[in-house]
Amino acid sequence: MDATPSAAIEILAHEIERFPQNTGSEHDDRLKAYQAEVEQSLADPNAYWLNQANRIEWMRPPTQSLTYEWNTEKRIISHTCYADGILNATTSCLDRHANGERSEKTAIIWQGEESADVRRYTYTELRDEVCRCANVLKRLGAKKGDRIAIYLPLIPEAIIAMLACARIGAIHTVVFGGFSAESLRDRINNAEARILITANAGRRNGKVIPLKTWADEALRDAPTIAHVVVVRSTSDAVPMTSPRDHWYSDLTSNESTICEPEPMNAEDPLFILYTSGSTGKPKGVLHTTGGYLVQAALSHERVFGMREDDVYWCTADVGWITGHTYVVYGPLANGSTVLLYEGGPTYPNPGRTWDICDTHRVTVFYTAPTLIRLLMSHGDEWPSTFNLSTLRMLGCVGEPINPEAWRWYFDIIGKKRCPIMDTWWQTETGSILISPLAGIHDLKPGSALRPFFGIEAAILKPDGSVCGTKEGGALCLTRPWPGITRTLWGDHEKFIDTYFTANPNVYTAGDGCYRDEDGDLWILGRLDDVVNVAGHRIGTAEVESALVNHDTVAEAAIVPIRDPIKGQALAAFVTLMDGVTATPDLKQQLLLHVRTSIGPIAVPASLTFAPALPKTRSGKIMRRILRAIAEGNTNDLGDVSTLADPGVVDTLLRLKEPRNS
Ligand code: WT7
């Protein structure tokens, strides 16, 4: 990844608004305590993190804290946390609540797309069901360290399956249900998963999502899978292949609700989650058990100021890291009540999300800017129809939030009462690293504010020197934290290259950033070839290679364009093989090809057939020019003097296709 900015990053000059989080002497005390904790976490990280380990259950508590060696030159990048501790993540998330005062507390409220479809699990019921599922996995031959793929809709069984894997020490790899059969196959093959847990179908926006059909397609070429466990989530019929496929309900109905938790070293893997990068296929980000869980629990509690009676709704799917850390591990470790909603946020009408907040009396709501913009586009009447008075805390994650969306969220949804936590983090960081804290920081629309406890950020210029105030640069983290990814599955060299070479001996996040005059951080978006479409990370190289794999395509370039709802969208420029004619039908075929190769989220918003792509004399595609053309900034093509053939640009300007929708 080349995440060092090649030129100074432009910082938009705008008036910074401040929303003070109460003042007075109580605030002064809180601020002092906060500052002391920040200082302690940085001055004595060993003591700080060892102390934090107490927030989860251990079979053998650790005596070791955070250790690391980051030496890019020697190509040694390693970090561990609690390396001599023994635990099982599920005892913190389940048993200690089920065996204690939270035994009858609701752990999960599941809301299906039909209003009447509601299921609830107490912590005891959840523990029992996880144990049943864990026993099933064992009976199917799963052992500690095996990989198990999960391809499910957002139903309680998704959480149950993840925790069942953790219970027996198997490594789960959850694949988002919106990914195609090919994407699922690639992930299964890379992880060499032995078991797949899926459902007959999911449901979204009134439509059936045929997960089992896609899974069957993926499994034609996924030889490591020996068993498929199928949850019957809808009434849709699906073919079952004997003896490979099993109905979940048939397997679990007679299973015992007792399954002893497998003792795991803190550094044993908990899960692999695939994410897109700037090159090649998605990478398997590996997270381990102890440090990840401690930091998930700590950040969830502190960022959202969790209280015992909260009803907490994080809208992320468990197919993403937000779902792992802030739907499953963080909130369950903290004994929270978690709301899960399977359906579309504006189905059957644009009030649906607020209807759910009202019906289930949601107190803490955590979502993505893209959803806020989508809901905002439907007007203020929808939220005003519902009672949102239980809300007390709001959050957002996934992309920079534009100040307009922030203000709408603050005024219309939070009624100016609810602080907004704009949380910055990544699949690789495991948990929130930059965020305001309620009652402590003045909020500023568009700023993620401050590094969390124990986190040290630096903003670096291309030459490695530190940026000054209001100078844009590459966001880097100068020391590890307990939940940082340990490696990329099966490719430690790539791990070093991707995160530790652009700036030696520090973690380079891939985002642009600047610090304002108060010392608060503003995230500016990706610096590498990763595009953020509706909060989902998509590597341009991945979409380009999907296009080039099509028989008719000689060359393809993908560039990001601004999108009012999704933040960014993809624009494709495609050069066809000699003799192939560009037709509207072929264009549709190519878009469909991307959909089946990766999934709907990767389908370009526009596709232009280009007789040739603009290239430098050394053959490098000039994406900057394509981006300007795609966005219609044709007066702003910049320096085109390095182009091998400047005529290409004129042709493209004539041919540029409008967006599909
Ligand atoms: C990328 C990570 C971590 C959960 C969701 C996405 C962008 C994330 C923010 C924010 C500005 C943000 C960054 C980052 N991002 N949160 N609050 N402000 N940008 O996880 O798929 O690993 O993507 O999302 O560009 O690098 P992910």
Side-chain angles (χ1 to χ4, degrees):
M1 171 169 77
D2 178 15
T4 314
S6 49
I9 297 170
E10 196 191 330
I11 294 163
L12 295 175
H14 63 85
E15 187 83 19
I16 297 177
E17 284 177 278
R18 288 181 173 74
F19 292 79
Q21 292 294 289
N22 51 51
T23 43
S25 67
E26 246 182 69
H27 178 255
D28 291 347
D29 292 347
R30 271 204 303 273
L31 191 63
K32 272 194 208 114
Y34 162 78
Q35 281 161 346
E37 186 172 346
V38 169
E39 271 160 37
Q40 194 233 333
S41 70
L42 295 173
D44 192 354
N46 279 344
Y48 184 79
W49 292 118
L50 209 50
N51 184 33
Q52 288 300 333
N54 295 327
R55 62 174 59 243
I56 63 168
E57 296 250 300
W58 296 88
M59 296 170 180
R60 190 172 82 203
T63 64
Q64 293 171 20
S65 192
L66 202 53
T67 64
Y68 74 107
E69 183 173 1
W70 283 2
N71 186 328
T72 304
E73 203 196 332
K74 285 200 205 144
R75 294 193 66 81
I76 297 174
I77 300 293
S78 79
H79 32 259
T80 67
C81 195
Y82 312 133
D84 63 346
I86 308 278
L87 78 162
N88 184 290
T90 65
T91 65
S92 295
C93 296
L94 301 170
D95 304 72
R96 67 163 158 175
H97 311 310
N99 297 337
E101 284 174 8
R102 297 190 180 111
S103 61
E104 296 308 310
K105 179 172 176 176
T106 303
I108 301 175
I109 306 171
W110 176 77
Q111 172 69 64
E113 201 166 68
E114 297 288 324
S115 307
D117 281 350
V118 176
R119 280 198 267 158
R120 282 168 212 274
Y121 289 78
T122 64
Y123 269 98
T124 303
E125 287 164 341
L126 185 63
R127 192 254 327 260
D128 290 354
E129 193 58 29
V130 166
C131 287
R132 271 200 203 99
C133 181
N135 284 330
V136 163
L137 296 175
K138 274 198 202 162
R139 202 175 290 276
L140 295 177
K143 297 182 308 298
K144 177 174 175 174
D146 284 351
R147 275 78 62 205
I148 296 182
I150 298 174
Y151 188 55
L152 283 172
L154 202 50
I155 53 178
E157 285 79 2
I159 297 180
I160 291 163
M162 290 165 75
L163 294 174
C165 291
R167 188 76 170 183
I168 63 169
I171 305 168
H172 58 71
T173 181
V174 183
V175 180
F176 173 53
F179 277 125
S180 68
E182 282 181 42
S183 295
L184 173 64
R185 179 201 62 198
D186 289 350
R187 286 159 172 78
I188 289 173
N189 287 338
N190 185 271
E192 300 177 284
R194 296 199 42 192
I195 296 175
L196 171 66
I197 305 175
T198 187
N200 58 335
R203 194 178 277 277
R204 201 175 166 91
N205 299 325
K207 292 195 210 87
V208 170
I209 315 282
L211 290 174
K212 176 64 164 62
T213 309
W214 293 341
D216 282 338
E217 212 173 301
L219 293 182
R220 274 192 235 140
D221 195 12
T224 56
I225 295 285
H227 295 283
V228 181
V229 178
V230 187
V231 177
R232 203 190 307 263
S233 182
T234 67
S235 54
D236 300 277
V238 285
M240 297 286 280
T241 305
S242 178
R244 188 195 68 184
D245 299 352
H246 319 262
W247 287 109
Y248 176 85
S249 52
D250 291 350
L251 294 180
T252 49
S253 55
N254 292 322
E255 274 303 342
S256 152
T257 57
I258 294 168
C259 174
E260 289 306 319
E262 184 74 27
M264 305 294 285
N265 185 277
E267 282 300 322
D268 282 336
L270 181 60
F271 64 85
I272 301 168
L273 184 60
Y274 286 85
T275 186
S276 293
S278 49
T279 53
K281 295 271 185 199
K283 323 175 279 243
V285 169
L286 182 83
H287 283 288
T288 53
T289 308
Y292 170 81
L293 190 64
V294 166
Q295 205 158 15
L298 168 70
S299 57
H300 175 254
E301 185 195 304
R302 299 297 284 275
V303 169
F304 300 108
M306 292 304 294
R307 300 177 188 166
E308 192 57 46
D309 56 357
D310 274 321
V311 176
Y312 165 85
W313 184 16
C314 166
T315 63
D317 190 279
V318 292
W320 311 104
I321 190 71
T322 309
H324 283 61
T325 308
Y326 298 108
V327 175
V328 183
Y329 289 106
L332 296 182
N334 289 333
S336 305
T337 297
V338 173
L339 183 99
L340 210 58
Y341 170 54
E342 180 184 356
T346 54
Y347 187 87
N349 62 53
R352 187 62 196 275
T353 298
W354 312 124
D355 188 356
I356 292 171
C357 287
D358 181 345
T359 306
H360 296 290
R361 309 188 66 76
V362 172
T363 61
V364 178
F365 181 71
Y366 187 31
T367 193
T370 185
L371 188 81
I372 299 166
R373 288 191 296 264
L374 176 71
L375 297 170
M376 181 169 99
S377 74
H378 291 286
D380 301 354
E381 312 84 69
W382 287 105
S384 67
T385 316
F386 298 97
N387 179 355
L388 301 179
S389 65
T390 52
L391 286 175
R392 64 171 188 83
M393 173 75 71
L394 303 173
C396 65
V397 61
E399 55 178 314
I401 183 165
N402 47 314
E404 302 70 40
W406 195 100
R407 264 183 248 111
W408 185 81
Y409 199 27
F410 189 74
D411 293 346
I412 306 298
I413 304 308
K415 310 281 190 281
K416 300 184 164 65
R417 297 181 291 107
C418 308
I420 298 178
M421 301 296 111
D422 177 358
T423 63
W424 177 89
W425 59 296
Q426 309 177 297
T427 305
E428 297 88 339
T429 70
S431 68
I432 295 167
L433 295 197
I434 303 176
S435 171
L437 290 180
I440 289 170
H441 300 113
D442 283 3
L443 303 175
K444 297 177 181 176
S447 169
L449 259 311
R450 292 297 173 107
F452 195 67
F453 303 109
I455 306 301
E456 194 172 54
I459 304 168
L460 302 182
K461 291 190 219 182
D463 65 6
S465 62
V466 176
C467 290
T469 300
K470 292 192 109 172
E471 237 184 328
L475 174 61
C476 297
L477 301 152
T478 56
R479 52 164 104 187
W481 54 95
I484 180 178
T485 175
R486 300 304 192 254
T487 192
L488 297 177
W489 182 252
D491 202 346
H492 196 67
E493 292 304 309
K494 186 165 182 183
F495 177 64
I496 299 174
D497 290 339
T498 307
Y499 309 102
F500 293 91
T501 47
N503 301 286
N505 311 335
V506 298
Y507 173 91
T508 300
D511 281 311
C513 184
Y514 74 94
R515 228 185 268 272
D516 68 18
E517 51 272 50
D518 302 323
D520 295 326
L521 298 171
W522 296 70
I523 310 291
L524 298 164
R526 300 290 306 194
L527 299 174
D528 53 6
D529 293 327
V530 171
V531 186
N532 195 324
V533 180
H536 298 148
R537 218 159 118 171
I538 298 169
T540 54
E542 227 180 298
V543 187
E544 287 165 2
S545 82
L547 283 167
V548 173
N549 273 338
H550 195 272
D551 292 344
T552 62
V553 175
E555 205 169 27
I558 294 284
V559 292
I561 50 176
R562 270 186 281 275
D563 182 285
I565 302 287
K566 296 177 176 172
Q568 292 187 316
L570 305 177
F573 291 85
V574 169
T575 306
L576 295 171
M577 296 283 194
D578 278 347
V580 178
T581 315
T583 62
D585 187 48
L586 179 58
K587 179 174 151 179
Q588 290 312 315
Q589 273 183 46
L590 293 178
L591 294 174
L592 183 67
H593 179 69
V594 174
R595 177 180 285 265
T596 52
S597 306
I598 304 174
I601 58 173
V603 176
S606 76
L607 189 150
T608 303
F609 289 117
L613 296 174
K615 289 185 188 165
T616 61
R617 277 174 218 109
S618 60
K620 201 167 177 272
I621 296 173
M622 293 186 75
R623 289 159 197 283
R624 175 178 60 75
I625 292 177
L626 289 176
R627 195 168 173 172
I629 293 172
E631 291 197 320
N633 298 332
T634 43
N635 296 329
D636 191 20
L637 291 179
D639 181 10
V640 291
S641 63
T642 53
L643 275 175
D645 174 9
V648 169
V649 173
D650 297 325
T651 317
L652 280 175
L653 286 172
R654 266 190 292 112
L655 290 175
K656 163 74 184 73
E657 288 274 333
R659 297 188 49 157
N660 300 324
S661 54

